[in-house]
Amino acid sequence: MSKSYPLARLLRLKRIREDQAAADLALATRRAQQAEAKATKAEAEFLGTSLSGAHTQGVWASLVASRMAGRSVLSDALSVAQVAQNDREVSVAHLENAHREVAVLEKLEENFTARAAALKEKEEAAELDEVAARTHATKELNNEL
C-alpha cells in the first residue's frame, strides 16, 4: 500500500494561488495597456494643440486655459499609466514567487514519489527473497525425505 504525498493539499493550494497570481497579472497587464493607450492619446491631443497666430485677448485666454487643462489631463493619464505599470510589476513578482513555491513543493513530491517507489521495490525484493528461501527450504526438506 503506497502512501500519498503528505503535502498534496498544500501543493494544491499553492497551485490555486499560482493560478490566481497569473490571473491577477493578466488583469494588471490589461489595465497597464489601457492606461498607456489613454496616456498616449492624451499626449497626442496635448501636442496637437498650439497657441500660434494672432488672436483676441479672450481667444488667447481660452487657448491658454485649454492648453493647461490638456496638460493636466496628460499629467493625470501619465500618472495612472505609471501606477498601472507598477501594479503589473508587483503582479509579476507575486506570480514568480507563487511559481517558486509550487516548484519547491513539486520537487519535494518527485523526491517523495521516488523514495516511495524505491521502498516498494525493496519490499517486493524482500518478499521475493523470502518466497525463494521458503521454496528452497521446501525443496531441501523434500529431498531429505
Side-chain angles (χ1 to χ4, degrees):
M1 176 179 198
S2 66
K3 292 170 48 175
S4 65
Y5 179 51
L7 299 176
R9 288 182 183 172
L10 180 61
L11 178 58
R12 188 171 38 249
L13 175 65
K14 294 294 183 178
R15 284 181 177 153
I16 290 169
R17 287 186 180 166
E18 182 184 28
D19 291 345
Q20 182 62 47
D24 291 346
L25 174 58
L27 182 60
T29 298
R30 193 179 89 221
R31 286 180 180 161
Q33 289 170 341
Q34 290 172 341
E36 185 64 32
K38 286 181 183 179
T40 301
K41 180 181 176 190
E43 184 176 30
E45 289 173 355
F46 176 73
L47 294 176
T49 62
S50 65
L51 299 176
S52 61
H55 300 287
T56 64
Q57 183 75 12
V59 171
W60 187 259
S62 295
L63 286 172
V64 168
S66 173
R67 182 95 171 151
M68 290 175 62
R71 176 72 181 160
S72 177
V73 168
L74 174 60
S75 178
D76 290 347
L78 290 172
S79 294
V80 168
Q82 184 60 46
V83 167
Q85 184 60 30
N86 291 345
D87 289 346
R88 184 189 176 286
E89 290 170 7
V90 168
S91 293
V92 166
H94 285 161
L95 177 59
E96 289 171 352
N97 187 36
H99 181 69
R100 263 191 309 276
E101 290 175 354
V102 167
V104 166
L105 289 172
E106 287 175 339
K107 186 67 174 174
L108 288 172
E109 182 180 33
E110 288 174 16
N111 291 341
F112 175 84
T113 303
R115 282 193 317 266
L119 181 61
K120 184 176 180 181
E121 286 179 20
K122 186 177 179 180
E123 288 171 353
E124 289 174 355
E127 287 177 15
L128 289 174
D129 289 345
E130 185 179 329
V131 168
R134 284 185 190 165
T135 303
H136 182 70
T138 303
K139 283 183 181 180
E140 285 185 7
L141 184 63
N142 287 338
N143 286 341
E144 289 177 10
L145 293 175

